[in-house]
Amino acid sequence: MLSLLLLIVATVSVLSACSSAQAGAMEKFVIAYLPSESNDSAAKLNKDFEDKLSEAIGLPVESYKATSYNAAIEAIKNGKADMATFGPFSYIVAVDRAKVEPIVGVSLPSLAEAPASVIIVPKDSDIQSIADLKGKTIGFVDPVSTTGHLFPKSMIVDELGIDPEELETNFFSNIQFAGKHDTAVLGVVKGQYDAAGVSGMYPAMLAAKGLIEEDSYRVIASSGPLNATPVGIRSTMPEETKEKLKSFLLGYDNEEYFENLFGMPDAKFIEVKDSDFDNIRDIAKKLNLSTEDLLK
């Protein structure tokens, strides 16, 4: 009888432990940072952010330096990261691939009417329009970048009325991915690419920092503005942690943090929902950009 009782207690203990593990009990919270979020100033601001977040959610906070959007997505999928700031396009890929869900968005009021994406060429280039890009080399940022791939490609398809497949196979002489917006801009200025599709804020930002000359490039096409940038989390995170995390983010107001990481001191975290990004899904569908193909 005693042996049976001990067996029952042991079984209940094992099942309880398994239940806790399945419920997603967390020992730490890991943020995946993208390459564009990595510099000396950002490191200091990130550390301050992480310390305050740790206090708010009651967990140690660590960081993971992802080499690309796909790397961040895989890190969340494999349980190595819990949160990352995505572009809208990489976010919808992350939803499909890693069951990511939005916790907040980043709003940039100063850029509410500004173009989200631009196509630039060197200042002395003979390229004057999108049609002139035929047979040229173009640099995009990342296959799952919204402003560095999805929007520029959509602009070209809409302007020329061509099939997306033709754009990929017969229009350009070469398509390259730079990995970061600043690398793509520098690639144009230095003559590595004939043109590049990048975030609308980056060329002027690099010029303001003295990294390129203000007149070293020209904009030949611009997109419309972009809605909030989503911050995605691992959906299996405990609800209590999600609530504490969301409350912390919506109340975070360090202007220096926002200016360094997002380029604008008036940036802020705001409420968002998954359906806010359905327009991005529509554009991806129009361009035949499958999330599965992008993650191979």
Side-chain angles (χ1 to χ4, degrees):
M1 188 68 168
L2 180 59
S3 297
L4 179 59
L5 180 60
L6 291 173
L7 178 61
I8 292 172
V9 171
T11 301
V12 170
S13 297
V14 170
L15 291 175
S16 177
C18 290
S19 177
S20 295
Q22 291 173 353
M26 299 176 66
E27 295 182 356
K28 61 183 179 181
F29 187 93
V30 181
I31 302 172
Y33 291 116
L34 279 298
S36 60
E37 299 166 334
S38 299
N39 57 57
D40 292 340
S41 297
K44 181 179 179 181
L45 291 164
N46 285 341
K47 182 62 169 60
D48 180 69
F49 174 86
E50 291 161 15
D51 289 344
K52 288 181 171 60
L53 173 59
S54 176
E55 183 178 352
I57 64 176
L59 289 168
V61 175
E62 299 179 2
S63 63
Y64 164 80
K65 292 184 179 180
T67 56
S68 66
Y69 283 120
N70 277 348
I73 292 168
E74 287 300 310
I76 292 179
K77 178 185 176 184
N78 296 326
K80 295 181 179 179
D82 300 296
M83 183 176 81
T85 300
F86 295 100
F89 186 32
S90 57
Y91 162 76
I92 67 171
V93 175
V95 171
D96 288 349
R97 180 68 172 174
K99 295 181 172 58
V100 162
E101 65 181 52
I103 187 71
V104 294
V106 181
S107 172
L108 302 174
S110 296
L111 297 181
E113 304 300 325
S117 182
V118 294
I119 298 175
I120 62 171
V121 298
K123 65 175 182 179
D124 55 356
S125 172
D126 59 355
I127 299 172
Q128 300 297 325
S129 67
I130 285 178
D132 294 335
L133 293 173
K134 185 173 179 59
K136 306 295 185 180
T137 294
I138 191 164
F140 292 120
V141 176
D142 185 292
V144 293
S145 171
T146 306
T147 57
H149 185 216
L150 185 72
F151 279 11
K153 186 171 287 186
S154 180
M155 282 191 279
I156 297 168
V157 168
D158 290 344
E159 174 72 17
L160 301 180
I162 64 176
D163 185 88
E165 184 67 23
E166 180 183 347
L167 187 68
E168 290 285 337
T169 58
N170 299 319
F171 188 76
F172 296 110
S173 63
N174 191 18
I175 297 175
Q176 298 184 33
F177 289 98
K180 298 193 294 182
H181 289 275
D182 53 358
T183 304
V185 173
L186 290 171
V188 166
V189 173
K190 295 180 178 179
Q192 182 180 354
Y193 313 129
D194 295 314
V198 298
S199 166
M201 72 171 74
Y202 263 85
M205 186 188 301
L206 294 181
K209 291 181 178 180
L211 298 177
I212 62 173
E213 297 293 329
E214 288 188 12
D215 63 347
S216 60
Y217 67 92
R218 286 187 291 106
V219 175
I220 64 165
S222 304
S223 76
L226 183 67
N227 294 329
T229 297
V231 178
I233 59 168
R234 178 172 56 84
S235 60
T236 54
M237 188 183 303
E239 289 300 321
E240 182 181 0
T241 303
K242 290 180 184 179
E243 291 172 8
K244 290 179 179 179
L245 173 62
K246 185 173 183 178
S247 177
F248 169 79
L249 293 174
L250 291 176
Y252 195 72
D253 60 357
N254 185 332
E255 289 188 358
E256 188 180 1
Y257 171 86
F258 286 110
E259 181 169 22
N260 189 276
L261 267 69
F262 304 108
M264 296 289 159
D266 64 346
K268 59 183 178 180
F269 292 121
I270 62 169
E271 296 258 11
V272 295
K273 56 185 182 297
D274 180 76
S275 60
D276 292 338
F277 307 99
D278 283 347
N279 63 319
I280 303 298
R281 292 181 171 98
D282 293 339
I283 295 174
K285 184 177 180 180
K286 176 186 70 175
L287 296 178
N288 300 324
L289 291 173
S290 161
T291 57
E292 287 302 317
D293 289 341
L294 290 167
L295 289 165
K296 288 180 179 177

